[in-house]
Amino acid sequence: METIVIIVILVVLFFLFGSSNKGKPGRVQKGSKKTSTYQLLTDQEIQSEAEEIVKKITTPSGVLRLEERVEKASERVAELDGGSPQSYNKAIQKLQILEMAFSIAEDMPLKYVYIPDSDPFESKVVLKEGYRVISRDKKEEIERNFPGKGYFEALGYYELEDENPVEAVSGEDEAEANNALIKLRTIVEGKAKHETKVKNINNWVEEHSGTSHWEVIDLWYDTEDLEKEITPGDAFYIAELLRMDCPTDEELYLQGYKQPNDYLSLDLDEFGKRHGIGVKTVEQMRVFQSRVQSQSETLESLKI
Protein backbone atom coordinates (compact mmCIF):
# COMPACT_ATOMS: atom_id res chain seq x y z
CA MET A 1 0.00 0.00 0.00
CA GLU A 2 2.80 2.38 0.90
CA THR A 3 4.47 1.54 -2.37
CA ILE A 4 1.34 2.52 -4.34
CA VAL A 5 1.11 5.84 -2.47
CA ILE A 6 4.76 6.67 -3.24
CA ILE A 7 4.24 5.88 -6.95
CA VAL A 8 1.14 8.10 -7.09
CA ILE A 9 3.03 10.95 -5.41
CA LEU A 10 5.94 10.66 -7.91
CA VAL A 11 3.56 10.66 -10.90
CA VAL A 12 1.81 13.79 -9.57
CA LEU A 13 5.15 15.56 -9.00
CA PHE A 14 6.30 14.63 -12.53
CA PHE A 15 3.24 16.14 -14.14
CA LEU A 16 3.40 19.24 -11.94
CA PHE A 17 7.06 20.14 -12.51
CA GLY A 18 7.61 18.50 -15.88
CA SER A 19 4.72 20.30 -17.60
CA SER A 20 5.71 23.66 -16.12
CA ASN A 21 8.72 23.82 -18.47
CA LYS A 22 6.60 23.50 -21.62
CA GLY A 23 6.28 26.66 -23.72
CA LYS A 24 8.84 28.71 -21.77
CA PRO A 25 10.52 31.44 -23.93
CA GLY A 26 13.89 30.45 -25.33
CA ARG A 27 13.22 26.72 -25.06
CA VAL A 28 12.95 24.66 -28.23
CA GLN A 29 11.00 21.50 -27.73
CA LYS A 30 12.42 18.23 -28.95
CA GLY A 31 11.47 17.66 -32.57
CA SER A 32 10.50 21.32 -33.25
CA LYS A 33 12.09 23.54 -35.98
CA LYS A 34 12.97 27.26 -36.01
CA THR A 35 11.09 28.87 -38.91
CA SER A 36 10.99 32.45 -40.36
CA THR A 37 9.17 34.07 -43.29
CA TYR A 38 10.31 36.89 -45.66
CA GLN A 39 8.23 40.03 -45.08
CA LEU A 40 7.02 41.23 -48.49
CA LEU A 41 7.30 44.98 -49.19
CA THR A 42 4.25 47.09 -49.90
CA ASP A 43 3.85 48.93 -53.21
CA GLN A 44 4.63 52.18 -51.42
CA GLU A 45 7.87 50.75 -49.99
CA ILE A 46 8.89 49.46 -53.43
CA GLN A 47 8.23 52.92 -54.90
CA SER A 48 10.25 54.57 -52.13
CA GLU A 49 13.26 52.29 -52.59
CA ALA A 50 13.12 52.75 -56.37
CA GLU A 51 13.14 56.55 -55.99
CA GLU A 52 16.19 56.35 -53.74
CA ILE A 53 18.04 54.46 -56.48
CA VAL A 54 17.04 57.02 -59.11
CA LYS A 55 18.29 59.96 -57.00
CA LYS A 56 21.86 58.79 -57.60
CA ILE A 57 21.50 58.68 -61.39
CA THR A 58 22.57 61.80 -63.30
CA THR A 59 23.96 60.48 -66.59
CA PRO A 60 22.91 58.16 -69.45
CA SER A 61 25.60 55.69 -68.35
CA GLY A 62 23.91 55.55 -64.94
CA VAL A 63 20.62 54.57 -66.60
CA LEU A 64 22.44 51.96 -68.70
CA ARG A 65 24.00 50.41 -65.58
CA LEU A 66 20.56 50.31 -63.96
CA GLU A 67 19.18 48.50 -67.02
CA GLU A 68 21.96 45.93 -66.68
CA ARG A 69 21.05 45.43 -63.01
CA VAL A 70 17.44 44.76 -64.06
CA GLU A 71 18.60 42.09 -66.52
CA LYS A 72 20.76 40.37 -63.89
CA ALA A 73 17.94 40.49 -61.32
CA SER A 74 15.59 38.91 -63.88
CA GLU A 75 18.08 36.10 -64.51
CA ARG A 76 18.40 35.55 -60.74
CA VAL A 77 14.63 35.15 -60.40
CA ALA A 78 14.65 32.51 -63.16
CA GLU A 79 17.45 30.63 -61.37
CA LEU A 80 15.58 30.54 -58.05
CA ASP A 81 12.21 29.53 -59.49
CA GLY A 82 11.15 26.27 -57.87
CA GLY A 83 13.68 26.56 -55.06
CA SER A 84 13.48 28.18 -51.64
CA PRO A 85 10.29 30.32 -51.43
CA GLN A 86 12.07 32.82 -49.18
CA SER A 87 14.99 33.34 -51.60
CA TYR A 88 12.63 33.47 -54.56
CA ASN A 89 10.44 36.13 -52.91
CA LYS A 90 13.49 38.25 -52.08
CA ALA A 91 14.68 38.05 -55.67
CA ILE A 92 11.22 38.95 -57.00
CA GLN A 93 11.02 42.03 -54.78
CA LYS A 94 14.51 43.18 -55.77
CA LEU A 95 13.52 42.82 -59.43
CA GLN A 96 10.33 44.84 -58.83
CA ILE A 97 12.31 47.66 -57.20
CA LEU A 98 14.88 47.78 -60.01
CA GLU A 99 12.21 47.64 -62.72
CA MET A 100 10.33 50.53 -61.15
CA ALA A 101 13.57 52.52 -60.76
CA PHE A 102 14.38 51.97 -64.44
CA SER A 103 10.87 53.01 -65.54
CA ILE A 104 11.40 56.30 -63.69
CA ALA A 105 15.00 56.83 -64.82
CA GLU A 106 14.45 56.18 -68.53
CA ASP A 107 12.00 59.10 -68.79
CA MET A 108 13.48 61.61 -66.37
CA PRO A 109 15.41 64.68 -67.66
CA LEU A 110 19.18 64.13 -67.59
CA LYS A 111 20.32 67.04 -69.77
CA TYR A 112 18.72 70.06 -71.43
CA VAL A 113 18.82 72.19 -74.58
CA TYR A 114 18.25 75.92 -74.24
CA ILE A 115 16.09 77.41 -77.02
CA PRO A 116 16.53 81.22 -77.08
CA ASP A 117 13.98 83.44 -78.80
CA SER A 118 14.66 83.86 -82.52
CA ASP A 119 15.15 87.60 -82.13
CA PRO A 120 17.67 89.69 -84.12
CA PHE A 121 17.72 92.20 -81.26
CA GLU A 122 18.68 89.65 -78.62
CA SER A 123 22.23 89.93 -77.32
CA LYS A 124 24.91 87.55 -78.58
CA VAL A 125 25.69 86.30 -75.08
CA VAL A 126 22.15 84.91 -74.81
CA LEU A 127 22.06 83.40 -78.30
CA LYS A 128 25.39 81.61 -77.78
CA GLU A 129 23.90 79.60 -74.91
CA GLY A 130 21.38 78.05 -77.28
CA TYR A 131 21.19 74.74 -79.12
CA ARG A 132 23.72 72.71 -77.19
CA VAL A 133 23.41 70.00 -74.55
CA ILE A 134 23.73 71.44 -71.05
CA SER A 135 23.58 70.15 -67.48
CA ARG A 136 20.89 70.89 -64.88
CA ASP A 137 23.29 73.30 -63.15
CA LYS A 138 23.86 75.19 -66.41
CA LYS A 139 20.10 75.34 -66.99
CA GLU A 140 19.61 76.96 -63.59
CA GLU A 141 22.44 79.42 -64.31
CA ILE A 142 20.78 80.52 -67.57
CA GLU A 143 17.44 80.91 -65.78
CA ARG A 144 19.08 83.18 -63.22
CA ASN A 145 21.02 85.25 -65.76
CA PHE A 146 18.35 85.53 -68.46
CA PRO A 147 14.94 85.19 -66.76
CA GLY A 148 11.99 84.95 -69.11
CA LYS A 149 14.13 84.55 -72.23
CA GLY A 150 13.52 81.46 -74.34
CA TYR A 151 12.71 78.01 -72.97
CA PHE A 152 14.29 74.60 -72.36
CA GLU A 153 13.80 71.18 -73.92
CA ALA A 154 14.54 68.22 -71.65
CA LEU A 155 16.69 65.33 -72.85
CA GLY A 156 16.06 61.90 -71.42
CA TYR A 157 17.95 58.63 -71.78
CA TYR A 158 16.63 57.83 -75.26
CA GLU A 159 17.09 61.37 -76.66
CA LEU A 160 20.70 61.36 -75.49
CA GLU A 161 21.23 58.05 -77.27
CA ASP A 162 20.33 59.83 -80.53
CA GLU A 163 23.19 60.70 -82.89
CA ASN A 164 22.27 64.39 -82.63
CA PRO A 165 20.26 65.06 -79.43
CA VAL A 166 19.85 68.78 -80.20
CA GLU A 167 18.14 68.12 -83.53
CA ALA A 168 16.00 65.48 -81.84
CA VAL A 169 14.24 68.17 -79.80
CA SER A 170 14.60 71.27 -81.98
CA GLY A 171 15.36 70.62 -85.63
CA GLU A 172 18.31 71.43 -87.86
CA ASP A 173 16.80 74.65 -89.29
CA GLU A 174 16.34 76.24 -85.87
CA ALA A 175 19.96 75.69 -84.89
CA GLU A 176 21.13 77.13 -88.23
CA ALA A 177 18.91 80.20 -87.75
CA ASN A 178 20.40 80.75 -84.30
CA ASN A 179 23.94 80.55 -85.71
CA ALA A 180 22.99 83.13 -88.34
CA LEU A 181 21.65 85.46 -85.64
CA ILE A 182 24.90 85.09 -83.69
CA LYS A 183 26.76 86.29 -86.80
CA LEU A 184 24.37 89.25 -87.05
CA ARG A 185 24.84 90.17 -83.40
CA THR A 186 28.62 89.89 -83.83
CA ILE A 187 28.34 92.64 -86.45
CA VAL A 188 26.00 94.80 -84.37
CA GLU A 189 27.93 94.46 -81.12
CA GLY A 190 31.35 94.87 -82.74
CA LYS A 191 33.58 97.97 -82.62
CA ALA A 192 33.44 98.89 -86.31
CA LYS A 193 32.17 102.29 -87.44
CA HIS A 194 28.43 102.69 -87.90
CA GLU A 195 28.71 102.88 -91.69
CA THR A 196 30.73 99.65 -91.75
CA LYS A 197 28.16 97.90 -89.57
CA VAL A 198 25.34 99.00 -91.86
CA LYS A 199 27.25 97.65 -94.87
CA ASN A 200 27.92 94.33 -93.10
CA ILE A 201 24.28 93.97 -92.06
CA ASN A 202 23.26 94.52 -95.69
CA ASN A 203 25.69 91.77 -96.72
CA TRP A 204 24.27 89.50 -94.00
CA VAL A 205 20.74 90.05 -95.33
CA GLU A 206 21.84 89.28 -98.88
CA GLU A 207 23.65 86.12 -97.72
CA HIS A 208 20.62 84.78 -95.90
CA SER A 209 18.02 85.75 -98.47
CA GLY A 210 15.72 82.81 -99.17
CA THR A 211 16.96 80.66 -96.29
CA SER A 212 14.66 78.90 -93.85
CA HIS A 213 15.20 81.63 -91.27
CA TRP A 214 14.64 84.52 -93.67
CA GLU A 215 11.49 85.50 -91.74
CA VAL A 216 13.53 86.98 -88.85
CA ILE A 217 14.49 89.84 -91.18
CA ASP A 218 10.81 90.78 -91.38
CA LEU A 219 11.06 91.75 -87.71
CA TRP A 220 12.84 94.96 -88.74
CA TYR A 221 12.63 95.32 -92.50
CA ASP A 222 10.05 95.04 -95.28
CA THR A 223 11.69 92.36 -97.40
CA GLU A 224 9.26 92.97 -100.26
CA ASP A 225 10.89 96.36 -100.95
CA LEU A 226 14.65 95.91 -101.05
CA GLU A 227 15.14 98.90 -103.37
CA LYS A 228 13.93 101.54 -100.92
CA GLU A 229 16.23 104.37 -99.82
CA ILE A 230 16.54 102.88 -96.34
CA THR A 231 18.65 99.75 -96.59
CA PRO A 232 18.17 96.70 -94.31
CA GLY A 233 21.21 97.86 -92.30
CA ASP A 234 19.77 101.36 -91.82
CA ALA A 235 16.34 99.94 -90.99
CA PHE A 236 17.93 97.72 -88.34
CA TYR A 237 19.27 100.70 -86.42
CA ILE A 238 16.02 102.62 -86.72
CA ALA A 239 14.23 99.60 -85.27
CA GLU A 240 16.88 99.36 -82.54
CA LEU A 241 16.28 103.00 -81.56
CA LEU A 242 12.53 102.47 -81.52
CA ARG A 243 13.00 99.49 -79.22
CA MET A 244 14.89 101.83 -76.88
CA ASP A 245 11.76 104.06 -76.77
CA CYS A 246 13.36 106.69 -78.98
CA PRO A 247 10.62 108.29 -81.14
CA THR A 248 12.69 108.37 -84.31
CA ASP A 249 11.90 107.73 -87.95
CA GLU A 250 13.63 107.39 -91.32
CA GLU A 251 13.83 111.17 -91.84
CA LEU A 252 15.65 111.79 -88.56
CA TYR A 253 17.96 108.86 -89.23
CA LEU A 254 18.93 110.19 -92.64
CA GLN A 255 19.61 113.59 -91.06
CA GLY A 256 22.33 111.98 -88.97
CA TYR A 257 20.51 110.90 -85.79
CA LYS A 258 21.79 107.32 -85.81
CA GLN A 259 23.06 106.70 -82.27
CA PRO A 260 21.40 107.35 -78.89
CA ASN A 261 23.91 110.11 -78.11
CA ASP A 262 23.09 111.88 -81.39
CA TYR A 263 19.69 112.74 -79.95
CA LEU A 264 21.18 114.73 -77.06
CA SER A 265 21.73 117.61 -79.50
CA LEU A 266 18.21 117.48 -80.94
CA ASP A 267 16.32 120.76 -80.38
CA LEU A 268 12.96 119.73 -78.90
CA ASP A 269 11.25 122.98 -79.98
CA GLU A 270 12.22 122.38 -83.58
CA PHE A 271 11.38 118.68 -83.19
CA GLY A 272 7.86 119.64 -82.05
CA LYS A 273 7.27 121.73 -85.17
CA ARG A 274 7.68 118.75 -87.46
CA HIS A 275 4.58 117.52 -89.26
CA GLY A 276 2.78 114.84 -87.28
CA ILE A 277 4.76 115.41 -84.07
CA GLY A 278 2.51 116.03 -81.10
CA VAL A 279 3.07 117.00 -77.48
CA LYS A 280 3.19 113.35 -76.39
CA THR A 281 5.98 112.52 -78.87
CA VAL A 282 8.00 115.58 -77.80
CA GLU A 283 7.70 114.47 -74.17
CA GLN A 284 8.77 110.95 -75.13
CA MET A 285 11.87 112.39 -76.78
CA ARG A 286 12.57 114.51 -73.70
CA VAL A 287 12.43 111.39 -71.50
CA PHE A 288 14.72 109.54 -73.92
CA GLN A 289 17.29 112.39 -73.89
CA SER A 290 17.20 112.47 -70.10
CA ARG A 291 17.70 108.71 -69.87
CA VAL A 292 20.66 108.75 -72.27
CA GLN A 293 22.19 111.73 -70.48
CA SER A 294 21.96 110.01 -67.11
CA GLN A 295 23.68 106.84 -68.27
CA SER A 296 26.83 106.14 -66.27
CA GLU A 297 28.43 104.13 -69.11
CA THR A 298 31.00 105.66 -71.44
CA LEU A 299 30.03 107.28 -74.70
CA GLU A 300 31.24 104.23 -76.59
CA SER A 301 29.02 101.82 -74.66
CA LEU A 302 25.90 103.80 -75.65
CA LYS A 303 26.48 103.05 -79.32
CA ILE A 304 24.23 100.39 -80.81
Side-chain angles (χ1 to χ4, degrees):
M1 184 69 180
E2 290 178 358
T3 303
I4 295 173
V5 171
I6 292 170
I7 292 172
V8 170
I9 291 171
L10 290 173
V11 171
V12 171
L13 290 173
F14 173 79
F15 278 105
L16 284 176
F17 293 99
S19 61
S20 64
N21 286 326
K22 291 180 179 180
K24 280 189 177 181
R27 295 288 298 273
V28 179
Q29 302 302 314
K30 188 176 180 181
S32 68
K33 293 182 179 179
K34 287 186 178 180
T35 60
S36 62
T37 57
Y38 177 65
Q39 185 65 43
L40 296 176
L41 299 175
T42 65
D43 290 344
Q44 187 174 357
E45 288 171 329
I46 291 174
Q47 174 85 20
S48 178
E49 291 204 24
E51 289 173 351
E52 285 299 315
I53 292 173
V54 172
K55 284 180 183 178
K56 301 173 184 176
I57 296 175
T58 58
T59 62
S61 59
V63 180
L64 181 60
R65 285 194 295 270
L66 178 58
E67 187 176 25
E68 291 170 353
R69 290 178 65 188
V70 172
E71 292 173 359
K72 289 180 180 179
S74 180
E75 292 171 0
R76 182 61 176 162
V77 167
E79 290 173 5
L80 295 174
D81 189 15
S84 164
Q86 181 172 322
S87 298
Y88 182 74
N89 287 338
K90 282 184 178 181
I92 282 287
Q93 294 251 276
K94 181 178 180 180
L95 177 60
Q96 288 175 330
I97 292 168
L98 291 173
E99 285 180 332
M100 180 167 287
F102 181 73
S103 70
I104 297 170
E106 67 177 341
D107 293 325
M108 72 178 185
L110 296 171
K111 301 287 183 179
Y112 298 87
V113 174
Y114 175 52
I115 311 293
D117 296 327
S118 187
D119 184 354
F121 300 100
E122 185 57 87
S123 67
K124 184 169 72 171
V125 68
V126 174
L127 296 173
K128 288 185 72 174
E129 296 289 3
Y131 298 94
R132 57 194 180 95
V133 178
I134 59 174
S135 65
R136 184 179 287 109
D137 289 343
K138 184 63 177 179
K139 171 182 178 287
E140 293 172 355
E141 179 187 320
I142 292 173
E143 288 173 329
R144 287 193 303 271
N145 294 339
F146 314 122
K149 292 178 179 285
Y151 62 96
F152 295 88
E153 288 284 0
L155 296 174
Y157 175 59
Y158 297 111
E159 287 84 6
L160 288 168
E161 288 291 292
D162 195 276
E163 185 176 348
N164 193 325
V166 174
E167 288 185 14
V169 295
S170 64
E172 183 179 357
D173 290 346
E174 291 181 38
E176 285 183 2
N178 191 68
N179 288 334
L181 288 178
I182 290 173
K183 291 180 181 178
L184 174 65
R185 293 309 306 181
T186 300
I187 296 169
V188 175
E189 298 174 27
K191 295 183 178 181
K193 291 182 179 180
H194 181 80
E195 293 74 16
T196 302
K197 290 183 179 183
V198 169
K199 179 182 176 182
N200 289 337
I201 292 173
N202 290 335
N203 291 338
W204 183 92
V205 170
E206 185 176 350
E207 178 187 350
H208 295 282
S209 174
T211 62
S212 59
H213 48 277
W214 173 248
E215 63 272 9
V216 301
I217 299 167
D218 290 329
L219 295 175
W220 86 81
Y221 189 71
D222 182 3
T223 55
E224 294 182 358
D225 186 12
L226 294 176
E227 301 300 324
K228 61 199 294 189
E229 186 176 4
I230 294 295
T231 68
D234 291 321
F236 183 91
Y237 283 101
I238 294 171
E240 187 96 291
L241 286 163
L242 290 170
R243 286 168 60 90
M244 297 173 67
D245 295 325
C246 175
T248 190
D249 56 19
E250 295 178 5
E251 185 180 338
L252 273 173
Y253 181 86
L254 293 175
Q255 289 175 10
Y257 297 93
K258 300 179 179 181
Q259 298 290 339
N261 283 289
D262 296 337
Y263 288 82
L264 293 177
S265 61
L266 182 66
D267 188 311
L268 292 183
D269 291 333
E270 291 298 319
F271 179 63
K273 293 176 183 178
R274 292 179 60 205
H275 178 70
I277 300 298
V279 175
K280 186 178 290 187
T281 304
V282 172
E283 183 57 29
Q284 186 181 352
M285 183 64 78
R286 190 189 310 278
V287 170
F288 180 75
Q289 285 181 335
S290 176
R291 183 158 61 85
V292 172
Q293 207 161 22
S294 65
Q295 294 288 336
S296 59
E297 291 89 351
T298 64
L299 200 66
E300 182 68 25
S301 69
L302 288 173
K303 291 186 178 181
I304 57 174

